[in-house]
Structure formats: C-alpha cells, structure tokens
Amino acid sequence: RWSRVKGRLRSSVGEDVYSSWFARMDLESLQQESVHLSVPTRFLKSWIQTHYADRVLSCWQAEMPEVHRIDLTVRSAARCAAPVRDAQAAPTEPRRDDHHHPRPAAQEVRSSAATPVSTSHDALGGSPLDPRLTFASFVIGRSNTLAHAAAKQVAEGRHGDPVMFNPLYIHSGVGLGKTHLLQAVTWAGNSNPDRKVLYLTAEKFMYGFVAALKSQTSLAFKEALRGIDVLVIDDLQFLQGKTTQAEFCHTLNALIDAGRQVVIAADRPPSDLESLDERVRSRLAGGLVVEMGQLSEDLRLGILKSRVTAARAHHASFDVPQPVLEYLARSITHNGRDLEGAINRLLAHSKLNSQPVTLEMAEREVRDLIRPQEPKRIKIEDIQRVVARQYNVSRADLLSSRRTANVVRPRQVAMYLAKTLTLRSLPEIGRRFGGRDHTTVLHAVRKIEGLVSKDTTLSDEVELLKRQLQE
Ligand code: ADP
Ligand code: MG
C-alpha cells in the first residue's frame, strides 16, 4: 500500500517535486486511522507540512479511506542517512513498525559522507565574486543611501540576530550598483567565520537546481541552502521555468520562516516580475523594497575617483586630473558600467602610449560612451508656426490647399522638418497638414532633401529653422 500511495503522490506532484521532497519519506507505522511517516530533517518536515500536507493525506485516503491523520516526524540521525537513490528504489513491501530493519553500518558511513551542508555547499558553489565590489569602494549618494544602509545592516547582522527586513529587495536600472551592493554584502558576511552567506545569480540558482535534479542530489541542494544564514540572489528577473520558480518559492518561504536573511536584486520591482507567481511576488514585496535611482553628477564623480584610486594601487603613475574627472562625470550620465569603462580606457591608453591623461585624450577615448542629449520633443504645431513666421505666411495657408509658389515651398519645408525632427509617420504628418495624403508628404520630403544638397540658401534656411526649433 505504501508503495501505491507513493505512486499516487509521485503522479500528483510530478517527478521533480516528488524526488525533491518525498523520496526520503518513510512509513513508520500504520494504525487504522492514522499514519506515521518520517523524514530525515526538520527542514523537510516543515516544508512538507506547509506545502503538501493535504496532498499526502488525500493520496492515503485514495488507497485507504479510513485514514484521517498523518503524523510526520523527523527520524533519528542513524536512520536518516539513506542516500536518495536507495530511498527511491524503496522496497515494494509495506514496511511495518514491527519489523524495522536497521540499515547496515557500511551504508550509514557511505551516506553520511554524502550528507548535506558541506559537500553540497561545494557542489552548489556560489557565483564568482569580484574582489573590488566591497562596501569600501561603494560610493554613497542620494539615490542609494537607503539601499546602502539596508545592505550594510544585513551584512553586519550576526548569526541568530533577528532579521529586520526580509527579504531585502533592491531594484534599479542597469549599471546603478545592485551587483556591487550585493557582493559587498557577501564579502562582508563571509568575513565572519560563523556566518554563511551565499551569493547566487538567478541563473546559477536555476542551473544548480536543474543539475541537482538530474543527478538526484536535489535534496543536498536544498540542504545546502538550508545551512546558510544569508542567501543573496542577483538578477532575479532571469529566473525562469516553472519548476525552478516553484523551488525558489519554497526556498524563499523556508528561509524566511526560519529567520534566515534573503537579499535580492532585480531590474524591476516585484510587482513587475510578470513571469513569477503572484504569491512569490507578494512575498517579495513583503520585506523591504528599495529602489536605487539614477546616479547624480556628484555620485558619478565619486565613482570615477574611487575607480582611479583602485587603479592606482597597481599603476602608481596613473592619474586623472580633476577637470577630466569633472568632464567625464558631466558627460557620461547613464550608468556606472560606462564610468568604469571610461577609466579603464584612459588607463589602457595612457599606459600604452606612456602619456598623461588629458582632456583631449578623454574626449577622444570616451566619445562613444557619451549619449547624445535627449532631443527635445518638437511638436508639429511648433514647426508650422516657426516656418510660417519665417516665410511670412499664415499657418492656415500651410494647411490650406493653395498651390501658389510662396505657400508650396514653405509647406514642403514644414513637412520635411516634421519628418526629420519628430517621430510622426508620413500619414500622421499628412493628416496634420490639412488632411493630405502620405504620398504628398513623401514627395515634399524628397524634394527638400534633394534641394538642400544643392541650394545653399535653402539649406541655410532649413538649418536656421532647425536651430530655432531645437532651442
Ligand atoms: P547593476 O548590477 O545595477 O547593473 P553594477 O553593480 O554592476 O550595476 O554597477 C556597475 C558598475 O558601476 C560597477 O563597476 C560598479 O562598481 C559601479 N558602481 C555603481 N554604483 C556604484 C557606487 N555607488 N559606488 C561605486 N561604484 C558603483
Ligand atoms: Mg548586476
């Protein structure tokens, strides 16, 4: 019967879940109404109780309707050592409490060598850490004060400390310091010998879990996660796959319920992680959610300086004059990765050519890292107004069907500017010019394009109009 119940359980929860959670569940005893089951760890016990208690009961009831109670206990250490594989090839005979066979000692030794934490921790392995990404090199500014303070607090917690915000969830756009902060937490935590901090990218988490499932060591994987004080997961937006997500959800719940700290970074707030289950999202939102904003100019300058200082540790002759730093901080506005890239290039360039860093060199080297200023949004109405004023006609004339030369040319210029200075489509522009056809607009655009390359007066006029509109 026990094997039939297990068969039902297996088909009800699926192979993955079954082998993760139920493969090492044993039948201890069976009385009329109550079933006594055991698992090797407290972790498994609470996991099964919180997530699968009803499922287990209904599988029993399908075989034996009289069963009304399931007792789940943790087996003593001597018996919990069965490797996953043995438990899966479970005896087909129902095992009864009255003939309980202790396992041979040799097997115990073998399996205790394969027990959780240390081995599987290694097997699991954290994602690689960059030694430069520490709290010491993290520059604090308005946009990251809160995230930094929260991360610091988490990192300084001691084993067994009450957890203040769980999970700590940090989100921001790319290159704004999430990974830096998460690795800083990990470095700081790992410097404390009785504290285990594990840093994993979501991909690594996924990979570790899938690999564990394949090699049937997923229990070890889970036990490894159980043994840590702080779990740090980077780039959560990349977590994919139903099974992994379910697993992540279990891990998250189990760790949080056990008072372990979880720290997460992603490129969006929990509510926007569309592929994640609603329950996971709300659990994620239930801790502290902190957004890191764009880097201010001061912060950018600070990051540049910290990078230069770091580089000087290995290249003492390298220096970047203050005006160059200010130029870089002012012009590289969007992300920390490009600030780092700029310093790396200057370093490489000044080393290769044995030249000091100058403003000219910087301008040349980082040109492609500088984003053109966001173009001002120009409206078609503005174009019509400015063109009409310039050519001394009325805006109504431009929109009318009049075809006299003094109106036709300004109208064509206006359409041309509408096409080149706005994102409007040809049909849209046609509509805004008194309901003209898109082919008329296209004709006007081509005409003016052709003329500006030959007619310098017209090309000057067009340039002047553009400048007026862009100011
Ligand atoms: P994210 O993970 O948010 O995409 P990273 O943490 O990888 O961003 O940061 C990108 C680069 O910018 C890294 O080189 C990082 O060290 C640097 N950086 C970002 N914010 C800071 C900061 N506040 N202090 C120092 N360096 C920073
Ligand atoms: Mg990152």
Side-chain angles (χ1 to χ4, degrees):
R1 279 216 188 89
W2 173 222
S3 61
R4 281 212 297 276
V5 171
K6 286 201 286 190
R8 281 182 184 276
L9 207 46
R10 190 190 293 259
S11 51
S12 144
V13 298
E15 189 59 43
D16 288 357
V17 173
Y18 181 85
S19 63
S20 311
W21 304 117
F22 300 109
R24 291 205 288 170
M25 187 160 76
D26 280 347
L27 176 63
E28 294 288 330
S29 69
L30 172 61
Q31 268 122 27
Q32 280 88 1
E33 292 197 342
S34 79
V35 176
H36 179 191
L37 301 170
S38 72
V39 286
T41 66
R42 279 177 45 201
F43 184 61
L44 270 180
K45 176 187 162 192
S46 71
W47 210 306
I48 292 173
Q49 272 172 340
T50 45
H51 301 290
Y52 298 105
D54 292 349
R55 202 75 75 97
V56 174
L57 182 60
S58 64
C59 287
W60 271 101
Q61 287 177 333
E63 290 295 325
M64 302 178 64
E66 67 273 24
V67 168
H68 278 98
R69 220 179 88 190
I70 307 275
D71 294 317
L72 186 61
T73 57
V74 180
R75 298 195 275 280
S76 65
R79 283 195 58 209
C80 81
V84 179
R85 206 153 315 190
D86 286 8
Q88 277 189 322
T92 40
E93 290 284 312
R95 189 139 42 85
R96 302 286 304 263
D97 50 338
D98 51 352
H99 54 249
H100 153 222
H101 308 286
R103 292 174 196 278
Q107 203 173 21
E108 279 168 29
V109 172
R110 181 170 52 126
S111 45
S112 64
T115 16
V117 189
S118 60
T119 356
S120 45
H121 198 80
D122 298 342
L124 179 62
S127 299
L129 295 177
D130 182 337
R132 294 171 308 174
L133 303 182
T134 61
F135 279 118
S137 64
F138 191 84
V139 184
I140 304 166
R142 205 168 356 100
S143 56
N144 61 29
T145 314
L146 182 57
H148 171 266
K152 193 93 189 187
Q153 176 89 37
V154 165
E156 282 166 1
R158 266 182 305 259
H159 185 80
D161 270 1
V163 169
M164 290 185 64
F165 12 80
N166 214 2
L168 168 60
Y169 186 106
I170 297 172
H171 67 100
S172 80
V174 68
L176 302 181
K178 298 182 295 296
T179 296
H180 193 140
L181 215 41
L182 259 54
Q183 295 207 2
V185 168
T186 313
W187 283 117
N190 279 338
S191 68
N192 181 345
D194 58 28
R195 208 148 183 260
K196 277 215 192 72
V197 184
L198 184 64
Y199 172 87
L200 288 173
T201 60
E203 275 158 325
K204 183 82 181 185
F205 179 89
M206 231 156 30
Y207 174 82
F209 180 64
V210 171
L213 276 184
K214 283 210 184 106
S215 64
Q216 301 192 326
T217 55
S218 61
L219 265 174
F221 177 75
K222 292 182 180 71
E223 302 270 344
L225 289 177
R226 178 190 73 136
I228 62 182
D229 295 296
V230 184
L231 176 65
V232 180
I233 296 197
D234 202 355
D235 285 326
L236 186 68
Q237 74 274 7
F238 293 132
L239 193 74
Q240 272 158 11
K242 272 222 151 13
T243 316
T244 338
Q245 291 186 356
E247 198 51 42
F248 171 72
C249 178
H250 290 313
T251 308
L252 188 68
N253 285 331
L255 287 171
I256 292 177
D257 293 345
R260 311 297 163 91
Q261 180 71 54
V262 178
V263 185
I264 289 168
D267 69 353
R268 63 199 82 174
S271 55
D272 292 356
L273 289 167
E274 275 118 8
S275 70
L276 280 189
D277 192 88
E278 175 54 36
R279 277 166 306 172
V280 188
R281 279 187 265 162
S282 65
R283 186 97 216 207
L284 290 172
L288 177 65
V289 177
V290 195
E291 181 173 9
M292 289 201 290
Q294 291 299 319
L295 308 171
S296 66
E297 193 171 323
D298 280 355
L299 188 49
R300 300 199 294 268
L301 191 60
I303 294 174
L304 288 165
K305 284 183 175 162
S306 127
R307 286 288 162 183
V308 173
T309 309
R312 281 169 59 86
H314 302 284
H315 309 278
S317 66
F318 177 65
D319 198 15
V320 183
Q322 183 71 12
V324 175
L325 290 173
E326 282 169 10
Y327 163 74
L328 295 174
R330 213 175 327 112
S331 28
I332 301 177
T333 53
H334 38 291
N335 108 36
R337 229 159 270 173
D338 288 348
L339 294 174
E340 186 188 4
I343 297 299
N344 288 344
R345 281 191 208 177
L346 294 183
L347 175 63
H349 194 83
S350 77
K351 282 270 140 195
L352 286 174
N353 303 306
S354 315
Q355 278 171 1
V357 174
T358 62
L359 200 51
E360 289 72 44
M361 179 204 287
E363 275 170 356
R364 204 172 50 240
E365 287 300 308
V366 305
R367 191 170 299 152
D368 62 303
L369 298 179
I370 298 171
R371 273 196 193 166
Q373 283 296 309
E374 191 80 353
K376 204 179 120 212
R377 282 277 276 286
I378 294 170
K379 297 202 195 84
I380 290 184
E381 289 71 38
D382 294 336
I383 294 175
Q384 292 167 341
R385 207 171 21 78
V386 171
V387 170
R389 192 179 58 209
Q390 191 69 22
Y391 288 99
N392 205 14
V393 295
S394 74
R395 197 174 150 239
D397 284 336
L398 295 179
L399 307 192
S400 76
S401 54
R402 288 183 56 200
R403 304 186 51 83
T404 50
N406 69 325
V407 199
V408 169
R409 181 53 47 83
R411 187 185 289 134
Q412 287 174 333
V413 168
M415 287 191 214
Y416 165 81
L417 291 173
K419 184 63 197 149
T420 46
L421 299 180
T422 75
L423 293 172
R424 302 284 165 217
S425 65
L426 293 173
E428 170 75 14
I429 294 170
R431 264 197 301 285
R432 307 283 286 277
F433 276 82
R436 288 179 154 75
D437 193 74
H438 76 276
T439 53
T440 311
V441 183
L442 183 61
H443 173 74
V445 173
R446 295 234 168 102
K447 177 94 189 172
I448 301 300
E449 268 169 4
L451 286 175
V452 288
S453 57
K454 288 177 282 191
D455 179 341
T456 51
T457 317
L458 183 65
S459 109
D460 287 350
E461 283 172 11
V462 167
E463 272 316 302
L464 186 70
L465 287 165
K466 277 191 183 166
R467 224 172 307 140
Q468 286 180 38
L469 283 161
Q470 273 158 350
E471 266 158 21

